[in-house]
Amino acid sequence: MNYQELADKILNLVGGSNNVTGLTHCATRLRFNLKDEGIAQTEQLKKTPGVLGVAINGGQYQVIIGNDVNHVYKPIMEKCTGLESSKPAQEEKKSLAARFIDTITGIFTPVLPAITAAGMLKAVLSLLVAFHVVETTDQSYQIINFMGDAAFYFLPFLLANSAAKKFGCNAYLAMMLAGIMLHPNFLTMVSTASETGEGISLFFLPIYQASYSSSVIPIILSVWFMSYVEPIADRISPKAIKFFTKPLITILVAGIVTLVVLGPIGYIVAGWISTAVTTLNTYCSWLVPMLLGGLFPLLVMTGTHYGIIPIGINNRMTTGFDTIVYPANLASNIAQGAASFGVAFKTKSQEVRQIASSAAITAVCGITEPALFGVNMRYRTPLISACIGGAAGGLFMGLFVVKNYGGGSPGLLTLPGYLGGDGFHDLIFACIGALIAFVISFIVSFILYRDEKVSETTEENVTEPVETNEVVKGTALDICAPVEGEIKPLSAVNDPTFAQEIMGKGVAIYPSNGTFVSPVKGTIQMIFDTKHAIGIKSEEGVEILIHVGLDTVNLKGEHFETLVNVHDKVEIGTPLLKVDLEAIQKAGYDIITPMIITNTIEYNDIISLTEGNTHPKETVIKVVK
């Protein structure tokens, strides 16, 4: 693969360097902050060789590359100068949740390689001790041990650097804040004060007695505060001596506030989280690992898993181990790999087998995006299987309170990270939990997966409007248009649930009038209370969801009038809804209407029109038995 060409193509398709205000990467994704996401050519990006997919979540435009992401990241960064010191444009327009996820991701993603390396070093050391290659009194043990501890002990420095880049302030002053918190003299003062019972004060300001080594929250709060102090210091400093006074004012104010206010707040909050985890493990240790084990694939799909990972890191920093995030993530990753293996073993397609087996190996080693986006989401049943297997593995590890001591990217390679307690207890149960996740996910995937059947039509015919007399394999059931309008592929819908066909295959229509009719002869199965969506089951058993507009559930039924009731029998063309499309658009909602075959899994093929205009009673989908 020519990484330079791929990087140039990606940069061009996201709108060029002038449209990029921030860029970082994780293990598999390029994470862009764009001035205008509407400029990006998302559909072209998805079709670009070397790109596994595109996700727009958490305030970021994420291009999924796979394990080669670093090779693509570097040439893009060479053309996007000045990104490290710039804040993402128009951030005030993002929701609070999106800004939070974007911030957490931007801070923790760059430091993950160091944390992973440290965790792996500790895991290797645990193995060496367990097999009596070294003793804890050996110098070799002590050297490898402090090498592994370095990233954790000096974690505030690493986070200060990445937080400064994210908040748009001076990275070296931010690292100086970390140095203040970790200075040996301060640690000595804290230790002495704890022994004597005397307090520490700066003039009349009391300083909280806390050790900030290995901490997470205090330094992030401090750098965030500094990002507001620095511009003020710049503004009030005389131009002639600004070079001296700006850093002086910034570090003096931020340093004092850190030691007196923000550091203690972060330290206390971290303690609360630790206490909550301990309480949860005491009374309901199985619940959160089970839920996370089942839901991690969905979090990865949206990029919000980086909002969960810091909790696991904080747990290890405060209690010495994590019993929630990393064990659950281990079960989820192993389950994702097993689901892909299930596809590889059952498929008759050599191409699918190669993709699935390669992605599966990567997933069980800890990197799941190739399996998730390349296989499991594509065929859906493996995704369901991975959720079931991950929940089962997480449940087991939660019940037995399995402890992770080393971190790293959860997978087979980081299993030694469960060494660190009394003997091999945690490692053994982590292996059993991983095995449970693997076996259940593999079996369910193997049972549910079916190869996609290829129709007798050519690829060109599939992408063009389908004639009602088109010949396809098996019996074809016609699904008509529910409204007059312009046909769009589901991928054009600005909602990943529809665009990525998570709910099923189908078609989208941009309606030109507000009269929606039944696309089949059948029965009304469901009408949402908000009237924006209707479910119909045809006489042949095809289950159809018509969803008028995006996020129109928020209108709570306003501008919608239902013309049928649940259990009513309908014919093709029976009026279902009257919708005031103009009013909905004035309210700021997209009126594009997806029509989904929600039981897609039960059919061999779903062939849809992808362009052109249509009218009710015209076939837009053929469902092949």
Side-chain angles (χ1 to χ4, degrees), residues 167-190:
F167 293 131
C169 55
N170 188 286
Y172 297 97
L173 290 178
M175 287 188 282
M176 184 176 176
L177 277 181
I180 291 170
M181 299 167 72
L182 296 180
H183 197 284
N185 287 355
F186 175 63
L187 298 181
T188 300
M189 293 175 69
V190 169

Side-chain angles (χ1 to χ4, degrees), residues 161-493:
N161 182 48
S162 58
K165 294 174 181 178
K166 190 61 187 173
F167 293 131
C169 55
N170 188 286
Y172 297 97
L173 290 178
M175 287 188 282
M176 184 176 176
L177 277 181
I180 291 170
M181 299 167 72
L182 296 180
H183 197 284
N185 287 355
F186 175 63
L187 298 181
T188 300
M189 293 175 69
V190 169
S191 177
T192 302
S194 299
E195 293 175 359
T196 61
E198 297 179 0
I200 305 173
S201 62
L202 175 64
F203 299 113
F204 58 89
L205 298 174
I207 293 179
Y208 194 78
Q209 298 173 25
S211 174
Y212 297 110
S213 63
S214 305
S215 63
V216 173
I217 301 175
I219 188 63
I220 294 176
L221 289 176
S222 300
V223 176
W224 167 78
F225 176 75
M226 194 191 82
S227 71
Y228 288 93
V229 174
E230 189 175 26
I232 296 173
D234 179 75
R235 190 163 56 249
I236 66 175
S237 294
K239 186 174 182 180
I241 57 173
K242 181 177 294 188
F243 179 80
F244 305 100
T245 56
K246 177 183 174 180
L248 170 64
I249 296 171
T250 300
I251 206 66
L252 185 62
V253 174
I256 292 174
V257 172
T258 292
L259 292 175
V260 175
V261 181
L262 297 179
I265 289 175
Y267 185 84
I268 293 169
V269 170
W272 287 346
I273 295 174
S274 176
T275 302
V277 170
T278 302
T279 303
L280 192 63
N281 285 337
T282 302
Y283 297 102
C284 195
S285 64
W286 56 273
L287 180 60
V288 177
M290 180 188 71
L291 292 176
L292 286 180
L295 297 177
F296 246 111
L298 306 182
L299 297 176
V300 174
M301 283 165 52
T302 59
T304 55
H305 59 301
Y306 281 107
I308 304 295
I309 289 175
I311 297 175
I313 295 174
N314 182 75
N315 291 343
R316 285 204 312 277
M317 298 303 99
T318 53
T319 64
F321 53 81
D322 172 45
T323 59
I324 293 181
V325 177
Y326 279 81
N329 201 354
L330 171 66
S332 176
N333 289 359
I334 295 296
Q336 288 240 45
S340 288
F341 271 127
V343 173
F345 272 78
K346 190 171 183 180
T347 184
K348 295 180 181 179
S349 167
Q350 183 64 27
E351 180 183 358
V352 173
R353 182 178 295 110
Q354 289 177 348
I355 294 173
S357 57
S358 174
I361 293 171
T362 305
V364 297
C365 290
I367 303 298
T368 60
E369 275 88 347
L372 176 61
F373 292 97
V375 180
N376 298 347
M377 279 179 56
R378 177 181 174 184
Y379 302 111
R380 284 178 300 283
T381 55
L383 179 60
I384 296 170
S385 308
C387 291
I388 294 172
L395 172 61
F396 176 86
M397 286 193 264
L399 287 171
F400 287 89
V401 196
V402 177
K403 301 180 180 67
N404 173 270
Y405 302 92
S409 185
L412 295 180
L413 298 180
T414 56
L415 280 174
Y418 291 85
L419 288 169
D422 298 328
F424 290 87
H425 171 274
D426 294 301
L427 176 61
I428 292 171
F429 283 103
C431 291
I432 295 174
L435 181 62
I436 290 172
F438 186 95
V439 171
I440 292 177
S441 182
F442 179 87
I443 292 174
V444 176
S445 178
F446 188 85
I447 293 173
L448 295 182
Y449 174 77
R450 290 189 294 181
D451 278 326
E452 292 181 335
K453 297 294 180 68
V454 181
S455 69
E456 291 179 352
T457 56
T458 62
E459 182 178 350
E460 289 80 9
N461 286 335
V462 171
T463 58
E464 293 296 323
V466 180
E467 301 294 337
T468 58
N469 61 353
E470 182 183 7
V471 179
V472 294
K473 283 186 177 180
T475 304
L477 307 173
D478 291 344
I479 311 297
C480 298
V483 69
E484 182 179 347
E486 183 181 359
I487 300 170
K488 300 285 186 181
L490 280 182
S491 57
V493 179

Side-chain angles (χ1 to χ4, degrees), residues 599-619:
N599 59 339
T600 292
I601 188 176
E602 298 178 14
Y603 297 95
N604 286 333
D605 204 0
I606 307 292
I607 304 172
S608 307
L609 273 93
T610 57
E611 58 183 27
N613 294 317
T614 190
H615 301 272
K617 298 187 178 182
E618 288 186 352
T619 300

